[in-house]
Amino acid sequence: MQPATRSIAVAGPASAALRHRSARAATTPFVCLGCRSVQRRQQQRRPLSATISTQTDLRSGLTKLTSRRLISVSGPDASKFLQGVITNNISAPHNANGFYTGFLTAQGRVVHDVIIYPDELGPEPGKQSFLIEVDADEAVTLHKHIKRYKLRSKFNLNLLGPEERALYHSWNHVDQSGPWNKLVDELQKEGNARAVPDPRVPAFGSRVIVNQTSSSSPLADDDLTPESSYHLRRFLFGIPEGQAEIISGTALPLESNMDVMNGIDFRKGCYVGQELTIRTKHRGVVRKRILPCILYSKGAAPEIPADGPGQLEALEKLLKPEVEEGVKAEMIPQGASIDKVDKKSRSAPGKWLRGIGNVGLALCRLEVMTDTVLPGETPGMYSPEQDFVVSLGGEEGSEVEAKKVKVKAFVPFWLKDVWRIEAEKAEEERRMREELLRDRESDVE
């Protein structure tokens, strides 16, 4: 007997206002060239389109990631060049199989979030040959970015097509020896594929890189899980990905969770954008982070399941194809402000990024939208009775009031585990410093 499933239809987040921009040219305010470039990229961004089965696909699946693309960097200076422009340490032993990192501006803003793998399947395998996984819509931009700063560095740079390398993501939340894992193991034995645990959140699954040019048994797309199942699961884990969610030139790496997703090495040498990143880590407090959100229309906020790996299964019960009839997360514009109900804050507690059905990601102020207590501070302004809303569109002061839906942000289980471990380490370091200080004082006496 087949398990009952629920389907969620997924549509793209493209803004209707941007589509008809030319028709409204007479009434459109002036927009600078830089902002126009960002708007064009957002308009051309690929939509998340498919129908997903929430109860089966979220627990086990293998999907082809058409939303991601690979860039090959190989040559004698490949490692040295990348070390100077990314936030992670390419030489660290724990990064030998692949690692999450980012390219920053000189002001410390994220340009691209990427995953870098040693290229074990290419013509030049080894530490001087790498594959950079990047948002497919930003692959050409990153290729030009690297080429611009290459100067006299000796390495080859190639933007790989889907006919050369294919990228997949596999997960098996219930049984680690499931059918998808066996299929990936067979491909690895043939020497045509390589599976790597996702370096951001290990419980999230594994990346699978397949060499299409030599694979004798390519994976049939019709037999795979829809890619939108991957994105929905990623939203529930609170993992931002690509420049539709980590806005290029605007997002800060710590607010984008790059530090807690193993994307920053705070002890490595200099790299572009290091100064602000290090200063924020050691002298500042991260008050905003990208968090998963549940949308609802009426009544009290949904009860978010308890912490732990079982959180995902419990969240499945809250999933709906629509927030209410005719209203979906895809209809909310990127960057829409999240405000308190019946209260206008001086600064918005959050900003909406992207979503599917009634689930999505938003940049949230922690002490306002969650019960998180920031380090060294007392409990903030959070109240369980306080509701938050986001608008589906429309302009402030317009005759037609925009439709609004309520937002409930929550901290995923893995992020709470990271914070707990960091707090334990900080407490241990504090204790050791106090003991050392007491020993020195006793020696003086």
Side-chain angles (χ1 to χ4, degrees), residues 127-179:
K127 64 179 181 180
Q128 294 301 316
S129 184
F130 302 92
L131 293 176
I132 303 176
E133 175 198 325
V134 65
D135 185 352
D137 294 324
E138 299 291 330
V140 174
T141 304
L142 178 57
H143 183 271
K144 293 179 180 178
H145 178 81
I146 297 175
K147 195 173 182 179
R148 181 184 304 135
Y149 293 101
K150 177 183 176 182
L151 300 179
R152 296 184 179 181
S153 299
K154 297 179 181 179
F155 62 84
N156 297 319
L157 183 66
N158 296 304
L159 183 60
L160 302 181
E163 71 283 353
E164 297 175 272
R165 301 290 174 84
L167 186 66
Y168 298 81
H169 186 88
S170 69
W171 65 94
N172 209 328
H173 199 67
V174 180
D175 180 9
Q176 295 302 320
S177 61

Side-chain angles (χ1 to χ4, degrees), residues 212-231:
Q212 298 287 78
T213 59
S214 61
S215 179
S216 58
S217 57
L219 299 170
D221 293 350
D222 295 339
D223 299 333
L224 302 177
T225 309
E227 186 176 0
S228 50
S229 297
Y230 161 81
H231 290 296

